[in-house]
Amino acid sequence: MNVDEMKDVREFRAGAPKPDRARLAEGRDRLSSAAERGRGRRLRADWRLAAVGAAAALTAVAVLASGLGGGGHSGAERTVPTATRTVPGSVKEVLERAASTVERADPPPTPHAGQWVYEKKLSASPEVWPKSAAAQPEPEPQEHWERYADPRFENGKEGDDRSMRERLRFLDELPDDPAAVLKKVRAYYPSGKGNPEPEGEHDMRALSVLFASQPIPPQALAKLYRALAAVPGAEVTDHLVRDLAGRDALAVGHDEKGQKVRREILIDPHTYQYLGDRWIVVKDYKDTFPGADDTPDRPWKAGDLVFQNALLATGVVDHKGDRP
């Protein structure tokens, strides 16, 4: 991670009033969430951090957390729960069921300029490292209001950090072919020069931002599910998992050679609505902090949950502070 990238991380972190939230990972949205308070959700910060790669991102977060002297939730490292029910079918079969179900739903009303998108969610990030003697607090629901048509984030003023209106317009124009969808999504949220990443990882980063768009039209959500199934190395966990809110969820991620951390999209197994996302460790490894003599190596075990986001409620309201 170079100096400019570290500067970006510090800048979006500085806007979060609670240093223990997952905003470090989600930029200013969901890289959950991404710091969603202060100036508003900054997707560009999320995407820039994501493009550096999972291992570098986790290292940066651990260093910053230790310097801040607090933050993170113990819940961020809960391991995957014991299987409660198997998930039948391949990833393509599961996501085709999801797409076929959601595309039959009635579309939500289209927001208009002047309205706000409301979200209530849970987020969890790595606890401070080295670990503090004090108990880490459990994550608490956070509410966020984002202006639907924010001129500060439209017409390329903030690069690929776009308003919700621009994101929903992009989703409305997606083609039917999953491969064509992925091509457009990669172009919409590029990796950035000097930050090469595997195609599957790129797809998961970009799709995770679009899945968090609200209110997402049913036809667009169906297209995203079919595109998710077409991600190189895509796979569905063969059993239901629990999200941060304790709900059953389908977990869809991708398998990459040499991968240490996998980004997963979480989906309701009954309604097939988007529930949130998470980063899960798939291979034992440790983060090291060269030059930080007072910071010991940080071990990670397969099954550790790093960043988590659980969407609890969303809706469109007329004024900031209103609730659906």
Side-chain angles (χ1 to χ4, degrees):
M1 178 173 289
N2 61 35
V3 174
D4 288 339
E5 290 161 347
M6 286 298 296
K7 180 175 180 291
D8 285 344
V9 174
R10 292 191 182 98
E11 285 178 351
F12 76 71
R13 178 56 188 158
K18 290 188 177 182
D20 59 344
R21 295 176 59 199
R23 304 319 189 234
L24 285 172
E26 298 289 343
R28 289 189 181 267
D29 166 298
R30 290 198 301 27
L31 198 124
S32 84
S33 234
E36 298 181 354
R37 304 178 67 180
R39 288 186 57 199
R41 185 177 315 181
R42 300 302 304 276
L43 299 178
R44 181 177 59 181
D46 167 66
W47 188 248
R48 293 295 176 258
L49 177 57
V52 177
L58 296 177
T59 300
V61 170
V63 171
L64 289 172
S66 115
L68 290 166
H73 295 294
S74 58
E77 297 188 33
R78 295 172 183 153
T79 55
V80 177
T82 303
T84 56
R85 187 161 68 253
T86 58
V87 175
S90 66
V91 65
K92 292 186 181 297
E93 291 169 335
V94 170
L95 289 176
E96 181 55 39
R97 287 198 296 269
S100 298
T101 298
V102 299
E103 67 185 354
R104 295 194 297 267
D106 293 330
T110 301
H112 58 73
Q115 291 188 306
W116 296 74
V117 177
Y118 165 85
E119 281 189 349
K120 183 178 181 180
K121 69 194 306 182
L122 281 173
S123 296
S125 59
E127 65 183 17
V128 61
W129 187 259
K131 291 184 178 181
S132 169
Q136 298 295 324
E138 288 297 308
E140 297 181 357
Q142 301 291 333
E143 295 178 300
H144 172 73
W145 287 264
E146 178 177 347
R147 186 178 297 173
Y148 168 67
D150 192 332
R152 297 175 301 171
F153 306 112
E154 295 192 336
N155 301 317
K157 291 180 181 178
E158 290 291 336
D160 56 19
D161 190 0
R162 299 178 172 91
S163 73
M164 194 66 76
R165 176 167 66 178
E166 287 194 339
R167 289 160 65 185
L168 292 179
R169 285 176 176 174
F170 172 79
L171 289 171
D172 278 336
E173 297 171 356
L174 288 178
D176 292 326
D177 178 60
V181 170
L182 289 178
K183 183 177 180 180
K184 288 181 69 70
V185 168
R186 292 176 197 131
Y188 199 63
Y189 287 116
S191 292
K193 295 181 180 179
N195 292 320
E197 60 182 337
E199 190 172 74
E201 184 176 321
H202 185 175
D203 292 339
M204 293 300 294
R205 300 294 187 270
L207 287 171
S208 68
V209 178
L210 292 171
F211 272 113
S213 304
Q214 297 293 337
I216 187 168
Q219 291 292 330
L221 182 58
K223 291 176 182 179
L224 289 183
Y225 282 150
R226 293 185 174 111
L228 179 59
V231 170
E235 59 182 16
V236 60
T237 302
D238 62 4
H239 61 271
L240 295 180
V241 303
R242 299 280 185 181
D243 76 351
L244 187 59
R247 301 171 296 189
D248 282 341
L250 299 165
V252 181
H254 83 294
D255 181 45
E256 198 80 56
K257 183 178 180 180
Q259 188 176 35
K260 297 177 181 177
V261 180
R262 180 173 64 234
R263 179 73 167 267
E264 295 181 335
I265 302 298
L266 302 181
I267 303 168
D268 188 291
H270 307 294
T271 66
Y272 295 109
Q273 292 300 311
Y274 169 79
L275 293 180
D277 66 355
R278 67 183 190 175
W279 286 17
I280 182 171
V281 177
V282 295
K283 179 182 180 180
D284 291 0
Y285 77 103
K286 64 177 61 177
D287 277 324
T288 58
F289 310 100
D293 296 335
D294 59 343
T295 304
D297 292 349
R298 171 86 182 241
W300 296 97
K301 298 292 184 181
D304 284 348
L305 293 176
V306 186
F307 301 114
Q308 301 181 77
N309 297 283
L311 181 63
L312 304 179
T314 186
V316 177
V317 296
D318 290 332
H319 305 97
K320 185 176 182 179
D322 290 349
R323 295 178 179 82

